[in-house]
Amino acid sequence: MRLFGLYVVVELVALVAVVSWLGFGWTLLLLMAGAVVGMWLVRREGARASLAMAEAVRDGRAAHAEVTDGALVGLAGLLILVPGVVSDVLGLLLVLPPTRALARRWLVREAERRAPVLRTARIRDGGVVIDGEVVPGAGPSGSATRWPDQQRPGQQWPGQQRPGQPPIIEGRIVEG
């Protein structure tokens, strides 16, 4: 409740300052123009965010940045609809891609600080998947037989290091 009271006081002070600077008619015109331009930008950026989200899903990758962008554009639309000078300015700043990227980075950093598991999930999203098979047998005690195609430590696999390609890891996992 205190936060809402603070918001109302800040909006009133900003409104009085703008009215005393520009006059009542120009302030009203500025607020209406800000709402029209802001809603047009929200519509455009919302469509871009949804297309980016659909592309990420189609490509089979996690769309965490796209979802965050969509949520920030939605918040920008809400702030533009709320009457007031400060909320309109904040909404217009959130709908612009450069400032939205800054807000997204801050939001992700805060979420990861509060829930560290989110950081590991984001890191794993872009990680390399190593395909392998599990072979039942002896564990790391050394009693398992070596596969004939295994190389000794330090040896290069044929064709392992190709320019511009990530290293390929082939092997078997021995349970035990």
Side-chain angles (χ1 to χ4, degrees):
M1 190 65 179
R2 288 185 193 151
L3 193 60
F4 180 73
L6 178 66
Y7 162 74
V8 170
V9 169
V10 168
E11 284 288 0
L12 284 174
V13 168
L15 187 63
V16 168
V18 172
V19 166
S20 67
W21 182 47
L22 294 177
F24 179 76
W26 287 109
T27 301
L28 190 61
L29 186 64
L30 179 71
L31 287 174
M32 290 187 334
V36 169
V37 169
M39 291 314 296
W40 175 76
L41 283 171
V42 165
R43 182 176 174 202
R44 187 186 78 175
E45 292 300 318
R48 283 185 180 177
S50 65
L51 286 174
M53 197 178 325
E55 182 179 329
V57 169
R58 189 175 47 250
D59 292 346
R61 59 182 169 83
H64 55 84
E66 291 82 1
V67 169
T68 308
D69 267 358
L72 288 173
V73 168
L75 178 62
L78 181 68
L79 286 171
I80 289 170
L81 285 177
V82 171
V85 176
V86 175
S87 63
D88 281 355
V89 169
L90 287 175
L92 287 171
L93 285 175
L94 267 182
V95 81
L96 299 174
T99 52
R100 189 172 63 238
L102 290 174
R104 181 180 63 238
R105 270 188 252 135
W106 176 82
L107 188 65
V108 167
R109 190 172 36 245
E110 281 300 306
E112 289 174 349
R113 186 182 62 79
R114 292 180 187 207
V117 72
L118 292 175
R119 182 171 192 275
T120 58
R122 182 171 55 89
I123 290 170
R124 277 185 273 137
D125 171 50
V128 177
V129 176
I130 300 173
D131 192 16
E133 67 182 77
V134 177
V135 179
S141 64
S143 58
T145 59
R146 292 179 57 88
W147 297 95
D149 60 344
Q150 275 188 313
Q151 300 290 318
R152 301 267 182 243
Q155 287 182 323
Q156 284 278 36
W157 287 85
Q160 180 183 10
Q161 297 295 333
R162 287 183 234 146
Q165 294 288 331
I168 300 170
I169 300 173
E170 295 181 12
R172 298 177 188 232
I173 300 172
V174 180
E175 284 185 328

